[in-house]
Amino acid sequence: MQTSGGTPPVPHLTTALAGPLRELERRILDSMPAIERWFRLFWQDHTPPFYGSVDLRNAGYKLAPVDMNLFPAGFNNLSDEMLPCAVQAAQSAVERLCPDARNLLLIPERHTRNVHYLSNVVRLARILGTAGLQVRVGSLSAEVTAPVVLDLPGGEQLRLEPLARHNGRVGLSGFDPCAILLNNDLSAGTPPILRDLDGQVLVPPLHAGWTVRRKSHHFAAYDEVADEFARLLSIDPWMVNPYFARCSAVDFHAREGEDCLAESVDLVLSRIRAKHREYGIDEPPFVIVKADAGTYGMGIMTVRDASEVRDLNRKQRNKMAVVKEGLQVSDVIIQEGVPTRERVDDGVAEPVVYMVDRFVVGGFYRVHKERGIDENLNAPGSHFVPLAFARPCNLPDCSAQPDAAPNRFYSYGVVARLALAAAAIELERTAHLLPAAAAPAADDAAVAS
């Protein structure tokens, strides 16, 4: 598999595309003018998130998003061919937020030892800088008390500086930004230094962080978007939408909430079985049980029968009880499992689509050689294969077959944008759920937490 230089080849499905998914792709291709008009009208009434990434699953009989990330951390995995599209999209986003913006402050995750993540920060800063901004990177880490330069693979460098707050504004020494872009999902909580800013635009907003955000809120909004899109195309919304349920007050260590989990697993499995019978799909259904808040592939398990959530061993309970930054799991989403039929480099693969503003700007395949088609691929041992998604996502070939490469990627881009539309609705509806203040914001200090 070619991963750099030129356009990489397109991985093929292990099974021939036929039946429901091929028909869905044909409908999407034939309805392109109506689809683009639908998105155009939608964005007149809603503001897209500054950026986002969507994990998709292509089952051969349905194509659906399984996760929507509002703090995408894999810009380094995108091909160089996507940069012009990303720069143009960033210009559009900045013009909406702060038309006269000159300075932008980028705030990354606290950890500074993950070179892959730091390469993502460098790539993101490059995109924003090429869009016409002065970009500097401020760290929330208490360990960064003076500017530090980190050397990265390939000769790149990243300069991190301590944040400071003065007169209700956050910036760096000699740097007062109009806009602040978070590339930190706030799993560790909402830093007081970022609260109640005076005249600065902060994106994504604080309530987009995992201190407040819930995946179930997103997929509730996605239900509505998928239903409207399905009416537009005269298709079954299930073709692009995974079923889900939610349980709260779950304590894996104390074995509390097991009844809700088991009942919800049964409910979702029953709904999937009914659809499998309707479409003649001869394979057993499964669900993914995962934390309703959090990312990095933590707190996730595949379940095929309700008894499995009652019989967790100690290791499984420990795995499910805590996610990134030690966040305790109390709310759980039970989501229809969508198997992935794509393979790259002899590994199971799933497409990840990246967007800035309302535009698809690139993507890659997440590949795992040790995981099955019904398992979470966002796990240690995965690798990424960049693909030039940007051009195919925007330029389908209506004269070719529905599953030709440009058309397959166009379908990916359409479904990813549906998830982006749902995220816009989600953020509107949860704006009142501001994180509880832990302490007043301190001015004239380089205190990050």
PDB file of all heavy atoms in Angstrom, residues 44-67:
ATOM      1  N   GLN A  44     -27.049  27.508   6.386  1.00  0.00           N
ATOM      2  CA  GLN A  44     -27.572  28.866   6.524  1.00  0.00           C
ATOM      3  C   GLN A  44     -28.222  29.077   7.885  1.00  0.00           C
ATOM      4  O   GLN A  44     -28.299  30.202   8.386  1.00  0.00           O
ATOM      5  CB  GLN A  44     -28.586  29.166   5.409  1.00  0.00           C
ATOM      6  CG  GLN A  44     -27.964  29.311   4.031  1.00  0.00           C
ATOM      7  CD  GLN A  44     -28.990  29.612   2.953  1.00  0.00           C
ATOM      8  OE1 GLN A  44     -30.155  29.920   3.246  1.00  0.00           O
ATOM      9  NE2 GLN A  44     -28.588  29.536   1.696  1.00  0.00           N
ATOM     10  N   ASP A  45     -28.682  28.001   8.492  1.00  0.00           N
ATOM     11  CA  ASP A  45     -29.382  28.071   9.779  1.00  0.00           C
ATOM     12  C   ASP A  45     -28.543  27.596  10.956  1.00  0.00           C
ATOM     13  O   ASP A  45     -28.932  27.777  12.108  1.00  0.00           O
ATOM     14  CB  ASP A  45     -30.668  27.234   9.723  1.00  0.00           C
ATOM     15  CG  ASP A  45     -31.663  27.766   8.709  1.00  0.00           C
ATOM     16  OD1 ASP A  45     -31.715  29.002   8.519  1.00  0.00           O
ATOM     17  OD2 ASP A  45     -32.386  26.943   8.102  1.00  0.00           O
ATOM     18  N   HIS A  46     -27.411  26.962  10.682  1.00  0.00           N
ATOM     19  CA  HIS A  46     -26.598  26.395  11.761  1.00  0.00           C
ATOM     20  C   HIS A  46     -25.125  26.709  11.515  1.00  0.00           C
ATOM     21  O   HIS A  46     -24.686  26.815  10.362  1.00  0.00           O
ATOM     22  CB  HIS A  46     -26.783  24.880  11.856  1.00  0.00           C
ATOM     23  CG  HIS A  46     -28.217  24.455  12.040  1.00  0.00           C
ATOM     24  ND1 HIS A  46     -28.841  24.428  13.264  1.00  0.00           N
ATOM     25  CD2 HIS A  46     -29.151  24.071  11.122  1.00  0.00           C
ATOM     26  CE1 HIS A  46     -30.090  24.021  13.108  1.00  0.00           C
ATOM     27  NE2 HIS A  46     -30.309  23.804  11.826  1.00  0.00           N
ATOM     28  N   THR A  47     -24.382  26.828  12.594  1.00  0.00           N
ATOM     29  CA  THR A  47     -22.948  27.095  12.503  1.00  0.00           C
ATOM     30  C   THR A  47     -22.173  25.798  12.684  1.00  0.00           C
ATOM     31  O   THR A  47     -22.343  25.118  13.698  1.00  0.00           O
ATOM     32  CB  THR A  47     -22.503  28.094  13.586  1.00  0.00           C
ATOM     33  OG1 THR A  47     -23.233  29.310  13.427  1.00  0.00           O
ATOM     34  CG2 THR A  47     -21.010  28.366  13.487  1.00  0.00           C
ATOM     35  N   PRO A  48     -21.333  25.427  11.721  1.00  0.00           N
ATOM     36  CA  PRO A  48     -20.575  24.185  11.866  1.00  0.00           C
ATOM     37  C   PRO A  48     -19.515  24.318  12.955  1.00  0.00           C
ATOM     38  O   PRO A  48     -19.020  25.422  13.224  1.00  0.00           O
ATOM     39  CB  PRO A  48     -19.921  24.010  10.492  1.00  0.00           C
ATOM     40  CG  PRO A  48     -19.819  25.395   9.940  1.00  0.00           C
ATOM     41  CD  PRO A  48     -21.023  26.133  10.462  1.00  0.00           C
ATOM     42  N   PRO A  49     -19.140  23.222  13.605  1.00  0.00           N
ATOM     43  CA  PRO A  49     -17.975  23.255  14.490  1.00  0.00           C
ATOM     44  C   PRO A  49     -16.749  23.725  13.698  1.00  0.00           C
ATOM     45  O   PRO A  49     -16.702  23.576  12.476  1.00  0.00           O
ATOM     46  CB  PRO A  49     -17.821  21.794  14.924  1.00  0.00           C
ATOM     47  CG  PRO A  49     -19.168  21.175  14.718  1.00  0.00           C
ATOM     48  CD  PRO A  49     -19.757  21.892  13.533  1.00  0.00           C
ATOM     49  N   PHE A  50     -15.750  24.279  14.390  1.00  0.00           N
ATOM     50  CA  PHE A  50     -14.562  24.761  13.681  1.00  0.00           C
ATOM     51  C   PHE A  50     -13.925  23.628  12.903  1.00  0.00           C
ATOM     52  O   PHE A  50     -13.507  23.803  11.757  1.00  0.00           O
ATOM     53  CB  PHE A  50     -13.551  25.356  14.665  1.00  0.00           C
ATOM     54  CG  PHE A  50     -12.368  25.985  13.986  1.00  0.00           C
ATOM     55  CD1 PHE A  50     -12.397  27.322  13.631  1.00  0.00           C
ATOM     56  CD2 PHE A  50     -11.227  25.246  13.678  1.00  0.00           C
ATOM     57  CE1 PHE A  50     -11.318  27.920  12.982  1.00  0.00           C
ATOM     58  CE2 PHE A  50     -10.145  25.832  13.038  1.00  0.00           C
ATOM     59  CZ  PHE A  50     -10.192  27.170  12.687  1.00  0.00           C
ATOM     60  N   TYR A  51     -13.844  22.454  13.534  1.00  0.00           N
ATOM     61  CA  TYR A  51     -13.309  21.277  12.855  1.00  0.00           C
ATOM     62  C   TYR A  51     -13.857  20.024  13.518  1.00  0.00           C
ATOM     63  O   TYR A  51     -14.523  20.087  14.552  1.00  0.00           O
ATOM     64  CB  TYR A  51     -11.785  21.270  12.810  1.00  0.00           C
ATOM     65  CG  TYR A  51     -11.020  21.387  14.124  1.00  0.00           C
ATOM     66  CD1 TYR A  51     -11.635  21.323  15.373  1.00  0.00           C
ATOM     67  CD2 TYR A  51      -9.624  21.546  14.106  1.00  0.00           C
ATOM     68  CE1 TYR A  51     -10.906  21.422  16.544  1.00  0.00           C
ATOM     69  CE2 TYR A  51      -8.883  21.648  15.280  1.00  0.00           C
ATOM     70  CZ  TYR A  51      -9.537  21.587  16.507  1.00  0.00           C
ATOM     71  OH  TYR A  51      -8.819  21.685  17.666  1.00  0.00           O
ATOM     72  N   GLY A  52     -13.604  18.883  12.912  1.00  0.00           N
ATOM     73  CA  GLY A  52     -14.076  17.623  13.477  1.00  0.00           C
ATOM     74  C   GLY A  52     -13.611  16.458  12.625  1.00  0.00           C
ATOM     75  O   GLY A  52     -13.208  16.623  11.475  1.00  0.00           O
ATOM     76  N   SER A  53     -13.661  15.284  13.215  1.00  0.00           N
ATOM     77  CA  SER A  53     -13.363  14.060  12.467  1.00  0.00           C
ATOM     78  C   SER A  53     -14.412  13.023  12.806  1.00  0.00           C
ATOM     79  O   SER A  53     -14.964  13.003  13.919  1.00  0.00           O
ATOM     80  CB  SER A  53     -11.959  13.532  12.792  1.00  0.00           C
ATOM     81  OG  SER A  53     -11.874  13.104  14.142  1.00  0.00           O
ATOM     82  N   VAL A  54     -14.699  12.165  11.844  1.00  0.00           N
ATOM     83  CA  VAL A  54     -15.754  11.165  11.992  1.00  0.00           C
ATOM     84  C   VAL A  54     -15.192   9.783  11.666  1.00  0.00           C
ATOM     85  O   VAL A  54     -14.577   9.591  10.607  1.00  0.00           O
ATOM     86  CB  VAL A  54     -16.946  11.472  11.063  1.00  0.00           C
ATOM     87  CG1 VAL A  54     -18.033  10.415  11.215  1.00  0.00           C
ATOM     88  CG2 VAL A  54     -17.513  12.853  11.366  1.00  0.00           C
ATOM     89  N   ASP A  55     -15.385   8.843  12.579  1.00  0.00           N
ATOM     90  CA  ASP A  55     -15.063   7.442  12.319  1.00  0.00           C
ATOM     91  C   ASP A  55     -16.266   6.793  11.649  1.00  0.00           C
ATOM     92  O   ASP A  55     -17.379   6.822  12.193  1.00  0.00           O
ATOM     93  CB  ASP A  55     -14.768   6.698  13.622  1.00  0.00           C
ATOM     94  CG  ASP A  55     -13.518   7.215  14.319  1.00  0.00           C
ATOM     95  OD1 ASP A  55     -12.796   8.027  13.731  1.00  0.00           O
ATOM     96  OD2 ASP A  55     -13.280   6.796  15.477  1.00  0.00           O
ATOM     97  N   LEU A  56     -16.045   6.226  10.453  1.00  0.00           N
ATOM     98  CA  LEU A  56     -17.120   5.575   9.710  1.00  0.00           C
ATOM     99  C   LEU A  56     -16.929   4.065   9.710  1.00  0.00           C
ATOM    100  O   LEU A  56     -15.803   3.568   9.840  1.00  0.00           O
ATOM    101  CB  LEU A  56     -17.147   6.069   8.268  1.00  0.00           C
ATOM    102  CG  LEU A  56     -17.420   7.558   8.027  1.00  0.00           C
ATOM    103  CD1 LEU A  56     -17.340   7.871   6.546  1.00  0.00           C
ATOM    104  CD2 LEU A  56     -18.778   7.951   8.582  1.00  0.00           C
ATOM    105  N   ARG A  57     -18.015   3.354   9.543  1.00  0.00           N
ATOM    106  CA  ARG A  57     -17.962   1.905   9.360  1.00  0.00           C
ATOM    107  C   ARG A  57     -18.756   1.536   8.111  1.00  0.00           C
ATOM    108  O   ARG A  57     -19.914   1.925   7.959  1.00  0.00           O
ATOM    109  CB  ARG A  57     -18.551   1.179  10.578  1.00  0.00           C
ATOM    110  CG  ARG A  57     -17.622   1.145  11.807  1.00  0.00           C
ATOM    111  CD  ARG A  57     -16.428   0.246  11.545  1.00  0.00           C
ATOM    112  NE  ARG A  57     -15.548   0.116  12.685  1.00  0.00           N
ATOM    113  CZ  ARG A  57     -15.333  -1.038  13.337  1.00  0.00           C
ATOM    114  NH1 ARG A  57     -15.937  -2.141  12.956  1.00  0.00           N
ATOM    115  NH2 ARG A  57     -14.496  -1.076  14.338  1.00  0.00           N
ATOM    116  N   ASN A  58     -18.099   0.806   7.214  1.00  0.00           N
ATOM    117  CA  ASN A  58     -18.703   0.347   5.973  1.00  0.00           C
ATOM    118  C   ASN A  58     -18.932  -1.161   6.103  1.00  0.00           C
ATOM    119  O   ASN A  58     -17.993  -1.949   6.026  1.00  0.00           O
ATOM    120  CB  ASN A  58     -17.753   0.653   4.811  1.00  0.00           C
ATOM    121  CG  ASN A  58     -18.360   0.338   3.466  1.00  0.00           C
ATOM    122  OD1 ASN A  58     -19.301  -0.442   3.363  1.00  0.00           O
ATOM    123  ND2 ASN A  58     -17.802   0.932   2.428  1.00  0.00           N
ATOM    124  N   ALA A  59     -20.190  -1.539   6.327  1.00  0.00           N
ATOM    125  CA  ALA A  59     -20.509  -2.935   6.600  1.00  0.00           C
ATOM    126  C   ALA A  59     -20.818  -3.730   5.335  1.00  0.00           C
ATOM    127  O   ALA A  59     -21.024  -4.943   5.410  1.00  0.00           O
ATOM    128  CB  ALA A  59     -21.694  -3.025   7.553  1.00  0.00           C
ATOM    129  N   GLY A  60     -20.888  -3.065   4.187  1.00  0.00           N
ATOM    130  CA  GLY A  60     -21.317  -3.755   2.982  1.00  0.00           C
ATOM    131  C   GLY A  60     -22.818  -3.708   2.810  1.00  0.00           C
ATOM    132  O   GLY A  60     -23.327  -3.880   1.709  1.00  0.00           O
ATOM    133  N   TYR A  61     -23.547  -3.461   3.910  1.00  0.00           N
ATOM    134  CA  TYR A  61     -25.002  -3.298   3.821  1.00  0.00           C
ATOM    135  C   TYR A  61     -25.466  -1.988   4.455  1.00  0.00           C
ATOM    136  O   TYR A  61     -26.631  -1.632   4.361  1.00  0.00           O
ATOM    137  CB  TYR A  61     -25.734  -4.479   4.477  1.00  0.00           C
ATOM    138  CG  TYR A  61     -25.286  -4.788   5.895  1.00  0.00           C
ATOM    139  CD1 TYR A  61     -25.771  -4.070   6.978  1.00  0.00           C
ATOM    140  CD2 TYR A  61     -24.391  -5.824   6.143  1.00  0.00           C
ATOM    141  CE1 TYR A  61     -25.370  -4.353   8.262  1.00  0.00           C
ATOM    142  CE2 TYR A  61     -23.981  -6.122   7.427  1.00  0.00           C
ATOM    143  CZ  TYR A  61     -24.472  -5.388   8.489  1.00  0.00           C
ATOM    144  OH  TYR A  61     -24.065  -5.682   9.777  1.00  0.00           O
ATOM    145  N   LYS A  62     -24.562  -1.284   5.128  1.00  0.00           N
ATOM    146  CA  LYS A  62     -24.874   0.050   5.625  1.00  0.00           C
ATOM    147  C   LYS A  62     -23.567   0.809   5.797  1.00  0.00           C
ATOM    148  O   LYS A  62     -22.484   0.219   5.929  1.00  0.00           O
ATOM    149  CB  LYS A  62     -25.672   0.008   6.926  1.00  0.00           C
ATOM    150  CG  LYS A  62     -24.883  -0.403   8.162  1.00  0.00           C
ATOM    151  CD  LYS A  62     -25.779  -0.482   9.388  1.00  0.00           C
ATOM    152  CE  LYS A  62     -26.351   0.856   9.811  1.00  0.00           C
ATOM    153  NZ  LYS A  62     -27.223   0.781  10.996  1.00  0.00           N
ATOM    154  N   LEU A  63     -23.669   2.138   5.787  1.00  0.00           N
ATOM    155  CA  LEU A  63     -22.516   3.021   5.958  1.00  0.00           C
ATOM    156  C   LEU A  63     -22.904   4.039   7.016  1.00  0.00           C
ATOM    157  O   LEU A  63     -23.803   4.844   6.810  1.00  0.00           O
ATOM    158  CB  LEU A  63     -22.179   3.717   4.637  1.00  0.00           C
ATOM    159  CG  LEU A  63     -21.079   4.782   4.668  1.00  0.00           C
ATOM    160  CD1 LEU A  63     -19.745   4.171   5.067  1.00  0.00           C
ATOM    161  CD2 LEU A  63     -20.957   5.459   3.296  1.00  0.00           C
ATOM    162  N   ALA A  64     -22.228   3.991   8.181  1.00  0.00           N
ATOM    163  CA  ALA A  64     -22.690   4.800   9.300  1.00  0.00           C
ATOM    164  C   ALA A  64     -21.525   5.348  10.116  1.00  0.00           C
ATOM    165  O   ALA A  64     -20.475   4.714  10.223  1.00  0.00           O
ATOM    166  CB  ALA A  64     -23.608   3.968  10.201  1.00  0.00           C
ATOM    167  N   PRO A  65     -21.716   6.522  10.715  1.00  0.00           N
ATOM    168  CA  PRO A  65     -20.714   7.049  11.648  1.00  0.00           C
ATOM    169  C   PRO A  65     -20.844   6.345  12.992  1.00  0.00           C
ATOM    170  O   PRO A  65     -21.958   6.058  13.444  1.00  0.00           O
ATOM    171  CB  PRO A  65     -21.095   8.528  11.766  1.00  0.00           C
ATOM    172  CG  PRO A  65     -22.571   8.548  11.534  1.00  0.00           C
ATOM    173  CD  PRO A  65     -22.862   7.440  10.566  1.00  0.00           C
ATOM    174  N   VAL A  66     -19.734   6.088  13.639  1.00  0.00           N
ATOM    175  CA  VAL A  66     -19.776   5.475  14.967  1.00  0.00           C
ATOM    176  C   VAL A  66     -19.150   6.379  16.020  1.00  0.00           C
ATOM    177  O   VAL A  66     -19.256   6.100  17.212  1.00  0.00           O
ATOM    178  CB  VAL A  66     -19.091   4.090  14.976  1.00  0.00           C
ATOM    179  CG1 VAL A  66     -19.872   3.114  14.104  1.00  0.00           C
ATOM    180  CG2 VAL A  66     -17.639   4.178  14.523  1.00  0.00           C
ATOM    181  N   ASP A  67     -18.514   7.464  15.590  1.00  0.00           N
ATOM    182  CA  ASP A  67     -17.951   8.420  16.552  1.00  0.00           C
ATOM    183  C   ASP A  67     -17.718   9.752  15.855  1.00  0.00           C
ATOM    184  O   ASP A  67     -17.380   9.790  14.679  1.00  0.00           O
ATOM    185  CB  ASP A  67     -16.635   7.894  17.135  1.00  0.00           C
ATOM    186  CG  ASP A  67     -16.268   8.572  18.450  1.00  0.00           C
ATOM    187  OD1 ASP A  67     -17.148   9.233  19.051  1.00  0.00           O
ATOM    188  OD2 ASP A  67     -15.111   8.443  18.889  1.00  0.00           O
TER     189      ASP A  67
END
